[in-house]
Amino acid sequence: MSAAEVTAMPEGRGGRMTRAQIVNAALALGLIGFGLGAWAMDETFLVTLATKVAILAIAGAGLNLVLGFGGLVSFGHAAYFGLGGYASGILAHHALNYTAMFEWPFVFEGTTSMPVIWLTAMAVGALAALVIGALSLRTTGVYFIMITLAFGQMIFYFAISWPAYGGEDGLPIYVRNGFPGLNTLDPVQFFGLVCVVLFAMLGLISMLARSRFGLALQAARQNRQRLMAVGIRPGGVLLVAFVISGAITALAGALYADLNRFVSPSMLSWHLSGELLVFLILGGTGRLFAPLAGAGLYIALEHLLGGVSDHWQFFFGLLLLGVVLFARGGVIGFLAGGKRHG
Amino acid sequence: MSTILLIEQLLNGLQSGLMLFLMAAGLTLVFGVMGLINLAHGSLYMVGAFACAGVAAATGSFWLGLAASIAAAAAAGAIVEVAVIRRLYARDHLDQVLATFALILIFSEGTRWLYGSFPLYLNVPPSLSGSVTLPGGIQYSLFRLAIIGAGLAVAVGLFLLIGKTRIGVQVRAGEADREMIAALGVDIRRLYTLVFALGAALAGMAGALVGTIQSVQVGMGEPVLILAFVVIVIGGIGSIKGALVGALLVGLTDTMGRVLLPSIFGLFMETSAATSVGAALASMAIYILMALVLIVKPGGLFGARA
């Protein structure tokens, strides 16, 4: 996986789309088509399922920036996801109870406005990623994996033992937060909003990957010595990527809290960090659309296998083991062929 | 806070630290020798606990159960090594993480399938039930004391095994240079299976002993696995000595933090607030310890490489 190239999609010859671009377009249309089709048939549950896929894909996209492009195996991204969720839950909690969050040094009220909540969630995620990243990036390889996992657990246990916001029981959001001009309680409107956020984030990551910063980030994965030789400090590039990644994943967490109208420590659990990694490997590590392909496949399997057996995770484990051992490259690698070098 | 309570908690910290050492020793050996990060180590801990509960319930003997836990975990470790883990040595860490994550799903869900979600309880063997009076008039559970003794005995045995025996020489040589000892005629595949099974046996034993104090249930291995990661990050990956020091530090910090922090905050806060702040901080104490160690020594206390 480490030898694989992750570059922004190369332009196809003569204006024709490459196979990877066709697969990406199909994935995007598939998600939108599924959501709208379910809405047309009045299957509210399936609209919600498609929304869940889109939100998890945003979270995976955040992780993909550091894992696929920067080569950092972060096993603690549930921390940012959960912090984003709690940012949403806590702001809404205060707004709905008409209590100020804190009154010193200035009065800070809660809010139920999504744009404000999103910015707060991203700021919280970025700040946490800055602190955790600055400490974790002192190490590499397997140490980095274990340390990001451990910091994720630290926040998980803190959320469980801190009683002010529900502790182990979690925090309900009684009314879904609002977005100017939309009725977010309508499933298809919320689905549309989430899709816009998803494609905006994927566009942002694609743009970042093509920029000078993105090239330096990919170079940091491939060979840190060479990057240093051209005068760029890898630590700084990786930390910036880690912070952006934390912010994107936190945004997904805020949306997820609104989808379920509930936040609990399970959003911070290490299982979720593992699942985010699984999305990327199922989709095809380092591909821009890997998180969408992976999250879609995972939710589809959960839904289909879950209907057949209560123990679907057993079979999912076997499948995942098979993919890791024998089918490297994931869904997009299978559909779009090997990656180009150069 | 009375001195007696304090000493009692110190002993509890020592006991949980030694059990953590049994887990961390296997993890750190497997990483040191084979370069593999094994998330499924917690599953082997669970296998040991379930084997002990099953055999003890069937035969009525805790000791047979304990022997079964070690045998079952070692066998499960050897089978997993041959079937799956062996293919992962040459892969990158991401593949290792995902494959062993898949193993956790298989083990946990498989166990839930066989035994259901309800916790099982093990009885302390009659010869070790009750409590003893330690010098100074402290009443302490005999079984916990026996666990401390067993943990210390295994630690000494492990140091002798690694330091003094032929297998230990091969293991240490394997950490230093894999290709070279293969070239010298050591069957490296068998050595890897052996190391993995040894680590699994230690995890299984810890699972059975801790399962007797607490309960035996699906998912019991995961919190311990993450604590064991913290231990080997603090101690330095690949170092048995680091694992022992790290395990004792983590065990004592965790136990003492939970007892002391709420009462320390109680000195200048009202009781209910002190309890919640203290409990929240205590749950983070070991991670703060880990962050401090990393700032001072990024490679861990006894680690060779970072």
Side-chain angles (χ1 to χ4, degrees), chain A residues 26 37 45 52 64 86 162 178 233 297 313:
Chain A
F45 172 71
K52 188 174 173 189
N64 201 19
Y86 269 99
W162 184 255
R233 221 178 273 133
L297 183 62
Q313 289 211 329

Side-chain angles (χ1 to χ4, degrees), chain A residues 41-222:
Chain A
M41 288 188 291
D42 219 17
E43 294 276 359
T44 312
F45 172 71
L46 293 180
V47 179
T48 307
L49 212 59
T51 314
K52 188 174 173 189
V53 168
I55 293 174
L56 291 175
I58 300 171
L63 178 62
N64 201 19
L65 182 66
V66 285
L67 175 70
F69 296 76
L72 295 172
V73 183
S74 164
F75 203 160
H77 256 55
Y80 316 113
F81 191 71
L83 284 173
Y86 269 99
S88 173
I90 291 173
L91 285 173
H93 173 78
H94 283 287
L96 295 173
N97 290 320
Y98 302 103
T99 49
M101 236 177 110
F102 50 84
E103 292 174 347
W104 188 90
F106 51 89
V107 177
F108 191 89
E109 305 270 0
T111 175
T112 57
S113 161
M114 277 193 192
V116 181
I117 287 177
W118 293 355
L119 286 176
T120 316
M122 291 177 84
V124 169
L127 190 68
L130 180 68
V131 175
I132 295 178
L135 282 169
S136 310
L137 282 169
R138 295 168 63 87
T139 64
T140 54
V142 73
Y143 272 91
F144 185 82
I145 300 175
M146 294 186 189
I147 288 159
T148 47
L149 173 64
F151 279 124
Q153 282 306 103
M154 175 175 96
I155 295 175
F156 171 74
Y157 284 120
F158 181 79
I160 281 189
S161 52
W162 184 255
Y165 294 109
E168 208 165 349
D169 299 329
L171 187 65
I173 303 173
Y174 294 107
V175 182
R176 187 174 286 160
N177 296 309
F179 192 89
L182 290 180
N183 173 15
T184 52
L185 281 170
D186 178 6
V188 79
Q189 291 193 34
F190 187 57
F191 171 69
L193 184 64
V194 168
C195 280
V196 169
V197 175
L198 168 65
F199 294 117
M201 287 302 137
L202 290 179
L204 173 76
I205 289 172
S206 161
M207 215 174 68
L208 277 177
R210 266 183 283 212
S211 70
R212 209 180 109 83
F213 165 76
L215 295 177
L217 179 62
Q218 296 178 49
R221 185 192 71 235
Q222 288 157 358

Side-chain angles (χ1 to χ4, degrees), chain B residues 175-284:
Chain B
E175 287 186 356
D177 193 333
R178 275 175 247 184
E179 285 80 14
M180 187 56 87
I181 72 158
L184 289 173
V186 175
D187 184 350
I188 194 109
R189 285 161 76 93
R190 212 195 57 192
L191 180 69
Y192 284 177
T193 312
L194 198 71
V195 169
F196 201 86
L198 173 68
L202 293 176
M205 177 179 167
L209 292 176
V210 176
T212 310
I213 301 178
Q214 296 167 355
S215 64
V216 177
Q217 57 186 323
V218 173
M220 64 185 287
E222 293 166 10
V224 186
L225 172 80
I226 290 162
L227 285 183
F229 277 160
V230 173
V231 164
I232 65 177
V233 166
I234 289 177
I237 299 178
S239 161
I240 296 273
K241 189 166 74 177
L244 182 60
V245 173
L248 292 177
L249 270 176
V250 167
L252 288 171
T253 308
D254 195 35
T255 314
M256 297 317 279
R258 279 174 211 288
V259 182
L260 293 181
L261 281 176
S263 34
I264 289 173
F265 280 99
L267 295 178
F268 51 86
M269 288 168 89
E270 52 179 317
T271 317
S272 67
T275 311
S276 63
V277 173
L281 267 184
S283 69
M284 297 167 71

